[in-house]
Amino acid sequence: MEIWPAIDIRGGQCVRLRQGDYGRETVYAASPADMAGYWVRLGARRLHLVDLDGAKQGYPANFSSLSAIVEAVGNVPCEVGGGIRTQETLESLLELGVSRLVIGTLALKSPDWFREMCLLYPYRLVLGIDARDGMVATGGWLETSSTPAIDLARQFEELPLAALVYTDIAMDGMMKGPNVRQMAEMQEAVRLPVVASGGVSRLEDVKNLNDAGITACIIGRALYEETINLQDAMKFEE
C-alpha cells in the first residue's frame, strides 16, 4: 500500500484543519517546501498537496508554494488538489511538474468537462470524493450535495483516471482512526484504485487499511504530531 504524506497549504503555510473547518486550523510550518523536503529526506516516495485557499476560492491561491515544493523534492511525484476548475489551471500545474491532479467539485458539477479532461490527460487526473455521512461535499467541504459518494465514483470508473482519493470528512484531522468499512466499500464498488484519506492516526490504522485492500492512504496530522512514524508506515509499501 502506498503512503502519501499530506501537506495542506493555507496562506503560504503548512497547516491542518479539523473536519475541513477553516476556523480550526493548526500551523505546523511556515515553509511548505521545507516540510516537503523533510518528508522526502525521511524516505517519502510521493506527496499529497492541498491548496486549501484554492479549494475555498475556486482557483489556485498558493501557486508559489506549490512551485517551491516541486522544485525542492526533485523527482518525487506530487499530486495536487484544491481550486482546479479550468483547463488552464490544470495545464499550468502539470507544466509545473506536478505528477497528478485531484479534481472534486467539477466532477460533480460539470461531469462532461471532467470526462473531457480525463481523456485529454489520461492517468494524470485523480477523482477526489470528499464525503459527509456518505454524501459528496464540494467547494472546500463547505457544501454538501445529495449525491451518494459511491454513485459519483461509478459514473467515472471507466475513465483513464490515476486513482480515486476518498476522504471521510468526519474523520479528517480528528485522530480517531479512519472509516475502514466505508473505504473498503468504496474499493469494492469501483475498479479504480482507492486512496483513503481522513483519520489515520496510528500504525494500526495503516495496517487495517492495507488488510482491507486499499491501494494507498494519505497521512497528515498523525505525522506532524508524531503518533505515526513515516518510516514505520512505509514498511507497508514493501
Side-chain angles (χ1 to χ4, degrees):
M1 184 172 70
E2 296 178 354
I3 305 298
W4 293 76
I7 298 177
D8 292 0
I9 307 165
R10 187 181 184 202
Q13 297 181 309
C14 177
V15 308
R16 291 297 291 172
L17 306 181
R18 297 191 181 193
Q19 295 179 318
D21 186 343
Y22 285 72
R24 302 166 72 190
E25 173 189 274
T26 301
V27 177
Y28 287 109
S31 169
D34 287 349
M35 184 57 68
Y38 173 73
W39 295 132
V40 169
R41 287 194 298 276
L42 285 182
R45 299 187 180 103
R46 51 193 63 82
L47 295 171
H48 176 79
L49 316 177
V50 181
D51 183 343
L52 290 172
D53 298 303
K56 188 175 183 179
Q57 297 171 13
Y59 55 86
N62 289 284
F63 196 87
S64 60
S65 294
L66 296 173
S67 178
I69 289 172
V70 171
E71 183 176 353
V73 302
N75 293 325
V76 173
C78 296
E79 69 178 13
V80 173
I84 303 170
R85 311 283 170 85
T86 68
Q87 185 175 356
E88 291 74 21
T89 296
L90 194 154
E91 289 179 346
S92 66
L93 288 169
L94 291 177
E95 288 173 1
L96 192 66
V98 171
S99 175
R100 59 194 205 182
L101 303 173
V102 183
I103 299 177
T105 295
L106 282 195
L108 177 66
K109 296 188 174 181
S110 301
D112 290 341
W113 177 88
F114 181 65
R115 288 189 180 90
E116 181 183 358
M117 293 303 103
C118 289
L119 295 173
L120 283 173
Y121 305 95
Y123 303 105
R124 302 299 299 276
L125 303 186
V126 174
L127 173 60
I129 298 184
D130 306 324
R132 182 180 284 112
D133 297 324
M135 297 296 178
V136 177
T138 62
W141 299 357
L142 300 177
E143 306 169 20
T144 303
S145 73
S146 58
T147 302
I150 287 178
D151 287 358
L152 181 64
R154 283 174 170 161
Q155 288 182 39
F156 304 114
E157 66 175 328
E158 300 298 336
L159 291 172
L161 284 160
L164 185 166
V165 172
Y166 188 32
T167 303
D168 183 344
I169 295 173
M171 298 292 103
D172 191 72
M174 299 305 292
M175 302 290 284
K176 294 182 179 180
N179 190 331
V180 177
R181 179 187 59 80
Q182 193 172 81
M183 298 297 162
E185 287 177 354
M186 178 63 81
Q187 183 67 85
E188 291 172 5
V190 298
R191 297 182 179 90
L192 297 169
V194 172
V195 181
S197 174
V200 177
S201 57
R202 303 170 299 163
L203 196 62
E204 183 181 355
D205 297 331
V206 181
K207 179 182 184 301
N208 289 340
L209 289 169
N210 184 61
D211 291 346
I214 303 302
T215 301
C217 76
I218 294 167
I219 309 177
R221 186 180 169 197
L223 291 177
Y224 293 94
E225 299 193 358
E226 300 181 344
T227 64
I228 292 180
N229 177 282
L230 177 60
Q231 292 167 328
D232 288 340
M234 288 182 60
K235 292 176 181 177
F236 289 97
E237 294 192 332
E238 299 170 357

